[in-house]
Amino acid sequence: MRTVFFLLFTFMISNVANAGIILLEDFEDSTVSYSSSVADDLSDISSRDYFGRIASDTASPPADVLYNNIQGNGYFGVQDTDGANSGNIDTVTLDWTGISINNFTGLSLSWFVAEDSSSDGEEDWDSTTSFQMLFQIDGGGFQVFFAIESELGTDADFTNEAPHVDTNFNGEGDGTEITDTFTQYSYLIGATGSLLDIKVVFDEFNAGDEDLAFDNLLLSGDIIEVPEPSIFAIFALGMIGLAARRFKKQS
């Protein structure tokens, strides 16, 4: 009898998980949920010196910067950041802070990136050119979960090379090459907590043809819900209680 009651009670209070979207940053309009370390500067975008949200309400991309598989009408792009009119901008950081994840489990991130083919047919990322994505939960310290770096060329140098995914975060692009086609990547966080912070860092994109486009950052997870007791469960509990009383009298 106690076993039956325990199983029914467990059924009544057990958590039910349903997939849900926590955050979607699509860069389509000015309603954004991130803060930037420096204000967007697209004023010299025609010269391929820019950083910021490129969309129908901001500016058109340079005529010779062509991406395939564009998601919607907007994305965040950088190229030759220290050549923009703001001047001397070597690093651009985007921060999503204080994202509530208290009622979620199975957290997952996905995003799209692309890199335009260089104007001279050669790739131009240097050893200092870097793209990183980081997260932290409840202020526990940021950790890198995705990175793009230049590859080691046939000349045993990382200068003026193609960008690749850095699979082990050692500063060398040794994974999939980033091309001019927007490609989706994903990461399973595998941890829970109350608040999540996400950081995206564009570092040393300070020369022509050193560019990157970033789009559709999606954070999703399983929603944890505690269902209300059903009519069946309430009725069953009543029957169990009645049976228990009868059993007690008989014994």
Side-chain angles (χ1 to χ4, degrees), residues 56-226:
S56 57
D57 64 328
T58 58
S60 299
D64 56 352
V65 173
L66 303 173
Y67 297 118
N68 300 305
N69 193 34
I70 295 177
Q71 305 296 303
N73 296 310
Y75 59 86
F76 195 94
V78 301
Q79 184 171 189
D80 197 3
T81 58
D82 68 349
N85 288 329
S86 297
N88 301 318
I89 303 299
D90 292 324
T91 303
V92 178
T93 302
L94 308 182
D95 284 287
W96 290 262
T97 59
I99 305 168
S100 177
I101 56 171
N102 191 52
N103 295 319
F104 293 88
T105 187
L107 298 174
S108 177
L109 280 164
S110 66
W111 61 93
F112 286 79
V113 288
E115 188 265 346
D116 179 56
S117 298
S118 61
S119 57
D120 58 4
E122 302 291 335
E123 299 299 339
D124 292 296
W125 278 44
D126 296 331
S127 60
T128 54
T129 313
S130 176
F131 173 79
Q132 290 190 337
M133 300 178 67
L134 309 89
F135 80 91
Q136 70 171 357
I137 293 179
D138 295 336
F142 280 99
Q143 63 184 72
V144 180
F145 64 90
F146 183 76
I148 303 172
E149 311 283 352
S150 63
E151 68 175 339
L152 180 63
T154 56
D155 57 354
D157 197 342
F158 291 94
T159 302
N160 293 332
E161 302 294 346
H164 286 250
V165 175
D166 180 1
T167 61
N168 56 5
F169 313 128
N170 68 346
E172 301 179 8
D174 59 327
T176 304
E177 181 176 354
I178 307 301
T179 69
D180 57 7
T181 297
F182 272 98
T183 302
Q184 187 178 39
Y185 293 86
S186 62
Y187 177 77
L188 182 63
I189 292 180
T192 58
S194 297
L195 296 175
L196 174 70
D197 301 323
I198 303 171
K199 186 184 298 288
V200 172
V201 182
F202 304 85
D203 196 29
E204 296 289 342
F205 286 81
N206 54 12
D209 291 329
E210 289 183 349
D211 75 282
L212 195 71
F214 174 75
D215 200 9
N216 277 20
L217 176 65
L218 173 65
L219 172 65
S220 61
D222 295 327
I223 305 171
I224 301 174
E225 298 177 350
V226 179

